[in-house]
Each structure stands twice: as C-alpha cells, then as structure tokens.
Amino acid sequence: MATLHIIRRANDLLAIEAASQSGRNSAVLLIQDGVRASVPGPVGGVYASADDLAARGVQTDYPSVTVAQMSELILRHERVLVW
C-alpha cells in the first residue's frame, strides 16, 4: 500500500524510522520543523515544503514542493500518516 508519511518534527525518531522502513512505494513529506530532518532508507521519495524551508532559512538536498504539489502527493497515496 502506498503510504505518505508527513513528518512535522525533525527530532521525531520514531516517525523517521517508520518512514525510512516503509519501502519504495511510499514517500515522505517534511513540513514545519521536519524540514530539518534527514530520512535514510529506500523510500520512493522525500520532499520538503518550500514555504517551511524558506521560513526557517534551511536548505536541503530533497526536492522542495509547493502547497499544490503537496496536495497532489496526498491524493496519489492510499494512506497518509501525519507524525
């Protein structure tokens, strides 16, 4: 089942571990302070909120996404978990 993990806190180790072990057909969306997190493991993709990156002055190697693109990610996945 394709799952989107939305991570809001960079120090939420349980969320990061669960997301990193979810497999290639799942994805991770980093929002709020979660844009400071690093997600290891074979996931289908890791994305970071462009607005939250800008608000925090943070840069990342993950692709940044707009609100519209975040909505598309949510609709493309069968299950969404917010951590």
Side-chain angles (χ1 to χ4, degrees):
M1 177 180 301
T3 302
L4 176 64
H5 296 266
I6 300 176
I7 299 178
R8 298 178 292 154
R9 294 179 305 275
N11 62 350
D12 191 340
L13 300 179
L14 177 62
I16 293 168
E17 181 180 344
S20 69
Q21 295 179 8
S22 62
R24 293 216 178 267
N25 63 342
S26 296
V28 178
L29 174 59
L30 303 172
I31 63 170
Q32 299 172 358
D33 285 335
V35 296
R36 292 184 169 106
S38 177
V39 181
V43 295
V46 179
Y47 307 91
S49 164
D51 290 341
D52 291 322
L53 288 168
R56 287 155 179 81
V58 175
Q59 294 185 1
T60 184
D61 292 335
Y62 301 128
S64 63
V65 291
T66 64
V67 173
Q69 291 169 318
M70 285 189 271
S71 299
E72 290 175 18
L73 279 172
I74 291 168
L75 292 173
R76 280 198 320 239
H77 290 84
E78 298 171 66
R79 184 170 62 169
V80 176
L81 299 174
V82 180
W83 299 89

